Each structure stands twice: as structure tokens, then as C-alpha cells.
Amino acid sequence: DQQVKQNSPSLSVQEGRISILNCDYTNSMFDYFLWYKKYPAEGPTFLISISSIKDKNEDGRFTVFLNKSAKHLSLHIVPSQPGDSAVYFCAASYTGNQFYFGTGTSLTVIP
Amino acid sequence: DTGVSQDPRHKITKRGQNVTFRCDPISEHNRLYWYRQTLGQGPEFLTYFQNEAQLEKSRLLSDRFSAERPKGSFSTLEIQRTEQGDSAMYLCASSLWAEETQYFGPGTRLLVL
């Protein structure tokens, strides 16, 4: 019962262009969403989050959009840089206690 | 470094042996979480503590798994009678109560032969 889904296992983008990573969820009770970035042999690193009372949150080159009616969120990275190449996980929570993670999208930014 | 630390980073063991992992959270964080991650999957929740109290356990946490956080600081995760299916990355994360963001450690990679 995968409650958070990332349907694209991989994405390649040219340096300087926009990267769009997508995430869908099934549980309408989720009220907090996060994106994490993971490099090989390291734990996930927090990137950006959004509460369900908002539909957009921006932090530098990273913007997260939330569409509650579609149960969909996306992460935009503009402009993409080679150092952004990593696996990106979205996560969701409705109690603040247990987080549900997607299966990840591997982003490759081509110089 | 004031981040979350985990020890050991790697563990190879034979099936049937017991293993114990340690997690040291960020010092002021009162919540501590354990996750398991297998290849091609995202982290899967195992259990979490608020201070020394274990408040929630996943059904993934069979009776061979036990976690403790005796003084509300570091935590240990023990797996008894390991099985090959236990091979995974075990991740620890911590957060402040009432804050949603969890900060992860580097993980302990377990290989059961």
C-alpha cells in the first residue's frame, strides 16, 4: 500500500534548464510534505517542505508546488546544476510522527 | 559535527547472529526515528521515540527487532537471529517535537550472509 508514489525512476536534464520532479499521494489526510535529496552512501538530506495550507514554497533555486485536489506535488529546480545530480525522495505525513516516502527519482544533470 | 551520527556505518554478519546499531541524534532533538531502506525503495518507517518513550512501531518491526532510547539521548536498534531479508540500510533521523522536519544520519548498511 504505497501511499506516496514517484512514478519516474529517473530524469535527465541539461545544465541550466529546469528539473521537474513529481510525486503523487493517495491519503487525503496528509498535511505536510517534504523533499529530500540523497547522495550514494549518505543519508537523505532535507531540501524543502510545504504545509497543506499552502500551494507553493520557494527556497532559492528550489520550489515545491502542492495541488491538493489532484493529490500531487512537484519540485522545480531552476537552474539545474551538475551538483544537483542525486536521488530525490518526496515524503508525506499527517500526524507528524510517521513519514511515508516515495521510491525516489534519480536526477542526472548533464553539463 | 553536530548532525545525526550512526555506528557502525557497515556491518556484515552471518544469518542467525544478533546485531546492534547505535544512533546519536542532534543534541537538542527529542524525537528519534528508525527507518529501513532497501534497494530501489524509499525509507520505510520502523519506530520512533519521543524522549525515552517509544510511541509508535511499524508492523515491519517483527519481534526479532527491538529499539531502545534509555535516557532520551542515543538509541540502539537490535536485530536478533538475523535473516538474509534483513539486509538493508538502517537509517536514523531526529527532530524537535512539533517540528516536522527530520534530519537523517548516514545510515548503517547491514549485509546478512
Side-chain angles (χ1 to χ4, degrees), chain B residues 3-6 21-34 48-54 67-77 92-95 103:
Chain B
V4 178
S5 62
Q6 292 186 245
F21 310 140
R22 177 180 169 124
C23 171
D24 287 89
I26 294 171
S27 59
E28 62 269 26
H29 285 186
N30 45 20
R31 285 194 169 180
L32 186 148
Y33 306 79
W34 285 99
Y48 97 94
F49 294 83
Q50 182 157 309
N51 299 314
E52 65 274 10
Q54 188 173 17
E68 293 183 345
R69 195 182 182 198
K71 296 181 180 178
S73 56
F74 73 92
S75 175
T76 57
L77 177 69
C92 174
S94 70
S95 72
Y103 296 88

Coordinates of all heavy atoms in Angstrom, one line a residue, chain B residues 3-6 21-34 48-54 67-77 92-95 103:
Chain B
G3 N 25.6 16.9 13.5 CA 24.5 16.2 12.9 C 24.2 14.9 13.6 O 24.8 14.5 14.6
V4 N 23.3 14.1 12.9 CA 23.0 12.8 13.4 C 24.1 11.8 13.1 O 24.5 11.8 11.9 CB 21.6 12.3 12.8 CG1 21.3 10.9 13.3 CG2 20.5 13.3 13.2
S5 N 24.6 11.0 14.0 CA 25.6 10.1 13.7 C 25.1 8.6 14.0 O 24.3 8.4 14.8 CB 26.9 10.3 14.5 OG 26.6 10.2 15.9
Q6 N 25.7 7.7 13.2 CA 25.3 6.3 13.4 C 26.5 5.4 13.4 O 27.5 5.7 12.7 CB 24.3 5.9 12.2 CG 23.0 6.6 12.3 CD 22.0 6.0 11.2 OE1 21.6 6.7 10.3 NE2 21.7 4.7 11.4
F21 N 22.8 -1.7 16.4 CA 23.2 -0.4 15.8 C 23.0 0.7 16.8 O 22.0 0.7 17.6 CB 22.5 -0.1 14.5 CG 22.4 -1.3 13.6 CD1 21.3 -1.5 12.8 CD2 23.6 -2.0 13.3 CE1 21.3 -2.6 11.9 CE2 23.5 -3.1 12.4 CZ 22.4 -3.4 11.7
R22 N 23.8 1.8 16.7 CA 23.6 2.9 17.6 C 23.3 4.2 16.8 O 23.9 4.3 15.7 CB 24.9 3.1 18.4 CG 24.8 4.4 19.3 CD 26.0 4.5 20.1 NE 26.1 5.8 20.8 CZ 26.2 6.0 22.1 NH1 26.3 4.9 22.9 NH2 26.2 7.2 22.6
C23 N 22.5 5.0 17.3 CA 22.2 6.3 16.7 C 22.4 7.4 17.8 O 21.8 7.3 18.8 CB 20.8 6.4 16.1 SG 20.3 8.0 15.6
D24 N 23.1 8.4 17.4 CA 23.2 9.6 18.3 C 22.5 10.8 17.5 O 23.0 11.2 16.5 CB 24.7 10.0 18.6 CG 25.3 9.0 19.6 OD1 25.8 8.0 19.1 OD2 25.2 9.3 20.8
P25 N 21.4 11.3 18.1 CA 20.7 12.3 17.4 C 21.3 13.7 17.6 O 22.3 13.8 18.4 CB 19.3 12.3 18.1 CG 19.6 11.9 19.4 CD 20.8 10.9 19.3
I26 N 20.8 14.7 16.9 CA 21.2 16.1 17.2 C 20.8 16.4 18.6 O 19.7 16.0 19.1 CB 20.5 17.0 16.2 CG1 21.0 16.8 14.8 CG2 20.7 18.5 16.6 CD1 20.3 17.5 13.7
S27 N 21.7 17.0 19.4 CA 21.6 17.0 20.8 C 20.3 17.6 21.4 O 19.8 17.0 22.3 CB 22.8 17.8 21.4 OG 22.8 19.1 21.0
E28 N 19.7 18.6 20.8 CA 18.5 19.2 21.4 C 17.2 18.5 20.9 O 16.1 18.9 21.3 CB 18.5 20.7 21.2 CG 18.4 21.1 19.7 CD 19.8 21.3 19.1 OE1 20.8 20.7 19.6 OE2 19.9 22.1 18.1
H29 N 17.4 17.5 20.0 CA 16.2 16.9 19.4 C 15.6 15.8 20.3 O 16.3 15.0 20.8 CB 16.6 16.3 18.0 CG 16.7 17.2 16.9 ND1 17.0 16.9 15.6 CD2 16.7 18.6 16.9 CE1 17.0 18.0 14.9 NE2 16.9 19.0 15.7
N30 N 14.3 15.9 20.6 CA 13.7 15.0 21.5 C 13.0 13.8 20.8 O 12.6 12.9 21.4 CB 12.8 15.7 22.5 CG 11.9 16.7 21.8 OD1 11.7 16.6 20.6 ND2 11.3 17.6 22.6
R31 N 12.9 13.9 19.4 CA 12.3 12.8 18.7 C 13.4 12.1 17.9 O 14.2 12.7 17.3 CB 11.2 13.4 17.8 CG 9.9 13.7 18.5 CD 8.8 13.9 17.6 NE 7.5 14.0 18.3 CZ 6.3 14.1 17.8 NH1 6.2 14.2 16.4 NH2 5.2 14.2 18.5
L32 N 13.2 10.8 17.9 CA 14.2 10.0 17.2 C 13.5 8.9 16.4 O 12.6 8.2 17.0 CB 15.2 9.4 18.2 CG 16.4 8.6 17.6 CD1 17.6 8.7 18.5 CD2 16.1 7.1 17.4
Y33 N 13.9 8.7 15.2 CA 13.2 7.7 14.3 C 14.1 6.7 13.7 O 15.3 7.0 13.5 CB 12.5 8.5 13.1 CG 11.6 9.6 13.5 CD1 12.2 10.9 13.9 CD2 10.2 9.5 13.4 CE1 11.3 11.9 14.2 CE2 9.4 10.6 13.8 CZ 10.0 11.8 14.1 OH 9.2 12.8 14.5
W34 N 13.6 5.5 13.5 CA 14.4 4.5 12.8 C 13.6 4.1 11.5 O 12.4 4.0 11.5 CB 14.6 3.2 13.6 CG 15.6 3.3 14.7 CD1 15.4 3.6 16.0 CD2 17.0 3.2 14.6 NE1 16.6 3.6 16.7 CE2 17.6 3.4 15.8 CE3 17.9 2.9 13.5 CZ2 19.0 3.3 16.1 CZ3 19.2 2.9 13.7 CH2 19.8 3.0 15.0
Y48 N 9.5 5.1 16.4 CA 10.0 6.4 16.8 C 9.8 6.6 18.3 O 9.0 6.0 18.9 CB 9.4 7.6 16.0 CG 8.2 8.3 16.6 CD1 8.4 9.4 17.3 CD2 6.9 7.8 16.4 CE1 7.4 10.1 17.9 CE2 5.9 8.5 16.9 CZ 6.1 9.7 17.7 OH 5.0 10.4 18.2
F49 N 10.7 7.4 18.8 CA 10.7 7.8 20.3 C 10.5 9.3 20.4 O 11.0 10.1 19.6 CB 12.1 7.5 20.9 CG 12.4 6.0 20.9 CD1 13.0 5.4 19.8 CD2 12.2 5.3 22.1 CE1 13.3 4.0 19.8 CE2 12.5 3.9 22.1 CZ 13.0 3.3 21.0
Q50 N 9.8 9.6 21.5 CA 9.8 11.0 22.0 C 10.4 10.9 23.3 O 9.9 10.3 24.3 CB 8.4 11.5 22.1 CG 8.4 13.0 22.5 CD 7.2 13.8 22.1 OE1 6.8 13.8 21.0 NE2 6.6 14.4 23.1
N51 N 11.6 11.5 23.5 CA 12.4 11.3 24.6 C 12.7 9.8 24.8 O 13.1 9.2 23.8 CB 11.8 12.0 25.9 CG 11.6 13.5 25.6 OD1 12.5 14.2 25.2 ND2 10.4 14.0 26.0
E52 N 12.4 9.3 25.9 CA 12.8 7.8 26.1 C 11.6 6.9 25.8 O 11.7 5.7 25.8 CB 13.3 7.6 27.5 CG 12.2 7.8 28.6 CD 12.2 9.2 29.1 OE1 12.8 10.1 28.4 OE2 11.5 9.5 30.1
A53 N 10.4 7.5 25.5 CA 9.2 6.7 25.3 C 9.1 6.3 23.8 O 9.2 7.2 22.9 CB 8.0 7.5 25.7
Q54 N 8.9 5.0 23.6 CA 8.7 4.5 22.2 C 7.2 4.6 21.9 O 6.4 3.9 22.5 CB 9.2 3.1 22.1 CG 9.2 2.5 20.7 CD 9.8 1.1 20.6 OE1 10.0 0.4 21.6 NE2 10.2 0.7 19.4
A67 N 14.1 -1.8 19.9 CA 14.8 -0.5 19.9 C 14.6 0.1 21.3 O 13.6 -0.1 21.9 CB 14.2 0.5 18.8
E68 N 15.7 0.8 21.7 CA 15.6 1.5 23.0 C 16.2 2.9 22.9 O 17.0 3.1 22.0 CB 16.5 0.7 24.0 CG 15.9 -0.7 24.3 CD 16.8 -1.4 25.4 OE1 17.9 -0.9 25.6 OE2 16.3 -2.4 26.0
R69 N 15.8 3.7 23.8 CA 16.4 5.0 24.0 C 16.4 5.3 25.5 O 15.5 6.1 25.9 CB 15.6 6.1 23.2 CG 16.3 7.4 23.0 CD 15.5 8.4 22.2 NE 16.3 9.6 22.0 CZ 15.7 10.8 21.7 NH1 14.4 10.9 21.6 NH2 16.5 11.8 21.6
P70 N 17.2 4.7 26.2 CA 17.1 4.6 27.7 C 17.1 6.0 28.4 O 16.4 6.2 29.4 CB 18.3 3.7 28.1 CG 19.2 3.7 26.9 CD 18.4 3.9 25.7
K71 N 17.9 6.9 27.9 CA 18.0 8.2 28.6 C 17.5 9.3 27.8 O 17.7 10.5 28.1 CB 19.4 8.4 29.1 CG 19.9 7.4 30.1 CD 21.3 7.7 30.5 CE 21.8 6.7 31.5 NZ 23.2 6.9 32.0
G72 N 16.8 9.0 26.7 CA 16.3 10.0 25.9 C 17.3 10.7 25.0 O 17.0 11.8 24.4
S73 N 18.5 10.1 24.9 CA 19.5 10.7 24.1 C 19.8 9.7 22.9 O 19.0 9.7 22.0 CB 20.8 11.0 24.9 OG 21.3 9.8 25.5
F74 N 20.8 8.9 23.0 CA 21.1 8.0 21.9 C 20.1 6.8 21.9 O 19.4 6.6 22.9 CB 22.6 7.4 22.0 CG 22.8 6.4 23.1 CD1 22.6 5.1 22.9 CD2 23.1 6.9 24.4 CE1 22.8 4.2 23.9 CE2 23.3 5.9 25.4 CZ 23.1 4.6 25.2
S75 N 20.1 6.1 20.8 CA 19.2 5.0 20.7 C 19.9 3.8 20.1 O 20.9 4.0 19.4 CB 18.0 5.3 19.8 OG 17.2 4.2 19.5
T76 N 19.5 2.6 20.4 CA 20.0 1.4 19.8 C 18.9 0.6 19.2 O 17.8 0.6 19.6 CB 20.7 0.5 20.9 OG1 19.8 0.2 21.9 CG2 21.9 1.2 21.5
L77 N 19.2 0.0 18.1 CA 18.3 -0.9 17.3 C 19.0 -2.3 17.3 O 20.1 -2.4 16.8 CB 18.0 -0.4 15.9 CG 17.2 -1.3 15.1 CD1 15.7 -1.3 15.6 CD2 17.2 -0.8 13.6
C92 N 18.6 6.4 10.8 CA 18.1 7.1 12.0 C 17.9 8.5 11.6 O 18.7 9.1 10.8 CB 19.1 6.9 13.1 SG 18.8 7.8 14.6
A93 N 16.9 9.1 12.2 CA 16.6 10.5 12.0 C 16.2 11.2 13.3 O 15.7 10.4 14.2 CB 15.5 10.7 10.9
S94 N 16.3 12.4 13.4 CA 15.9 13.1 14.7 C 15.2 14.4 14.3 O 15.4 15.0 13.2 CB 17.0 13.3 15.7 OG 17.9 14.3 15.2
S95 N 14.4 14.9 15.2 CA 13.7 16.2 15.0 C 13.3 16.7 16.4 O 13.3 16.0 17.4 CB 12.4 16.0 14.2 OG 11.4 15.3 14.9
Y103 N 15.9 15.1 10.4 CA 17.3 15.1 9.9 C 17.9 13.8 10.0 O 17.9 13.2 11.1 CB 18.1 16.2 10.7 CG 17.6 17.6 10.5 CD1 16.6 18.1 11.3 CD2 18.0 18.4 9.4 CE1 16.0 19.3 11.0 CE2 17.5 19.6 9.2 CZ 16.5 20.1 10.0 OH 16.0 21.4 9.8

